[in-house]
Amino acid sequence: EEHIISGITLSRNEAKLTLAQVPDKPGIAAAVCQPIADAGVQVDMIVQSASADGKTTDMTLSVPRGDLKRAVEALRKVKDFEKLEIKTAEDIAKLSLAGIGVRNNPKVPATMFKTLSEIGVNIHAISTSEVRISVLIDEASGEKAAQALHKVFIGE
Amino acid sequence: EEHIISGITLSRNEAKLTLAQVPDKPGIAAAVCQPIADAGVQVDMIVQSASADGKTTDMTLSVPRGDLKRAVEALRKVKDFEKLEIKTAEDIAKLSLAGIGVRNNPKVPATMFKTLSEIGVNIHAISTSEVRISVLIDEASGEKAAQALHKVFIGE
Ligand SMILES: C[C@@H](O)[C@H](N)C(=O)O
Ligand SMILES: C[C@@H](O)[C@H](N)C(=O)O
């Protein structure tokens, strides 16, 4: 096989916050991430899709569930961000598929996403690197999602 | 220092495609990624922020520049995707900061984004993992962006 899946990890106790329609211009990503860092909140995923309208885009951050409130408060203190639309969800888990050559095997993410859809698990956010695909899903689905991926990719 | 930045990589010759407002329901991510995989196109970044409106969200993929056309054609062939709004850009580079403990140091992404904003480089997309932060930027800014990060994080 050209890819080796080395592990499936389920990280519970996550929360997500999504900043809706931030201006897509230099300085915004820094303005979002600095106050959260200054508040001492760990940030696991930072996910930003490219702008579709050429003016704004959304950003999603995942943080430990216990830090969600503090992260939102830190953002609200930023001048210009008082009216920022921030959507949050607390019952979130991060599910990751780690392996060598994941990038060179585009069928791997396709199969991962298909497997989750077949058991009705919605993928809230996606972030990939050369050796890992991570998704945010509802924590309530975490166990069955991890088991389904295990069956498909590790085979037991 | 609590973090060790092990490298800064600039990957030129990238292209991005953004699918605007896909339905945020199970099966969509698979329906996007499967045809592209079947067309033999390598997919480097898959980035999806969580839905802000609860119904739709955007997805951004980065592919080798030479494969952009083939990726778009593969998507257009999918039933239901003929009218899908797909924004593309060809003059894209991926800039990555790799290090140990990047996640546990939220100041690292904040500083990376700030450094880019200070030289006027717009961040089109962001994807993070435990040990790497990757952004998509205009290829024309790639060299100066990499040098700026090098100066700040590696110090020369
Ligand atoms: C949206 C945000 O990433 C913006 N493009 C920036 O460069 O900071
Ligand atoms: C948008 C897409 O990721 C969708 N939520 C899915 O699960 O496939």
Side-chain angles (χ1 to χ4, degrees), chain A residues 22-31 48 57-59, chain B residues 113 116-117 121-126:
Chain A
V22 294
D24 184 24
K25 56 176 188 173
I28 297 294
Q48 175 194 307
T57 191
D58 297 344
M59 292 178 72
Chain B
F113 303 154
L116 295 177
S117 73
V121 175
N122 193 46
I123 298 165
H124 300 313
I126 303 170

Side-chain angles (χ1 to χ4, degrees), chain A residues 24-25 27 34 38 41-42 44 46-50 52 60 87 94 104 106 117 122-128 130, chain B residues 24-27 41-42 46-50 52 60 87 94 104 106-107 110 117 122-128 130:
Chain A
D24 184 24
K25 56 176 188 173
Q34 192 66 57
D38 291 342
V41 173
Q42 278 189 349
D44 188 16
I46 302 170
V47 185
Q48 175 194 307
S49 187
T60 291
K87 301 287 198 214
K94 185 179 75 162
N104 294 332
S117 73
N122 193 46
I123 298 165
H124 300 312
I126 302 170
S127 184
T128 59
E130 278 79 1
Chain B
D24 184 23
K25 57 176 187 173
V41 173
Q42 278 190 348
I46 303 171
V47 185
Q48 176 192 309
S49 187
T60 292
K87 302 286 200 217
K94 183 178 77 162
N104 293 331
K107 292 201 205 284
S117 73
N122 193 46
I123 298 165
H124 300 313
I126 303 170
S127 184
T128 59
E130 278 79 1

Side-chain angles (χ1 to χ4, degrees), chain A residues 123-138:
Chain A
I123 298 165
H124 300 312
I126 302 170
S127 184
T128 59
S129 73
E130 278 79 1
V131 293
R132 181 184 287 267
I133 306 166
S134 293
V135 297
L136 295 180
I137 59 174
D138 290 340

Side-chain angles (χ1 to χ4, degrees), chain A residues 28-149:
Chain A
I28 297 294
V32 167
C33 293
Q34 192 66 57
I36 294 181
D38 291 342
V41 173
Q42 278 189 349
V43 180
D44 188 16
M45 275 164 84
I46 302 170
V47 185
Q48 175 194 307
S49 187
S51 171
D53 66 10
K55 303 201 209 75
T56 66
T57 191
D58 297 344
M59 292 178 72
T60 291
L61 281 66
S62 74
V63 299
R65 192 170 299 162
D67 286 342
L68 180 61
K69 193 151 166 292
R70 194 147 56 103
V72 175
E73 284 170 1
L75 282 174
R76 289 277 176 231
K77 289 206 185 89
V78 177
K79 174 175 172 308
D80 299 339
F81 281 179
E82 304 92 344
K83 294 214 179 59
L84 181 64
E85 190 186 338
I86 304 175
K87 301 287 198 214
T88 61
E90 289 198 357
D91 54 345
I92 294 295
K94 185 179 75 162
L95 181 60
S96 297
L97 189 68
I100 303 169
V102 164
R103 159 192 184 170
N104 294 332
N105 283 285
K107 292 200 206 280
V108 171
T111 301
M112 177 183 183
F113 304 154
K114 184 142 169 52
T115 303
L116 295 177
S117 73
E118 283 168 357
I119 53 169
V121 174
N122 193 46
I123 298 165
H124 300 312
I126 302 170
S127 184
T128 59
S129 73
E130 278 79 1
V131 293
R132 181 184 287 267
I133 306 166
S134 293
V135 297
L136 295 180
I137 59 174
D138 290 340
E139 194 182 63
S141 306
E143 198 59 45
K144 74 171 179 174
Q147 286 176 7
L149 292 186

Side-chain angles (χ1 to χ4, degrees), chain B residues 10-27:
Chain B
L10 180 66
S11 166
R12 293 184 181 85
N13 209 20
E14 304 258 2
K16 71 168 167 75
L17 55 111
T18 293
L19 292 82
Q21 303 198 310
V22 294
D24 184 23
K25 57 176 187 173

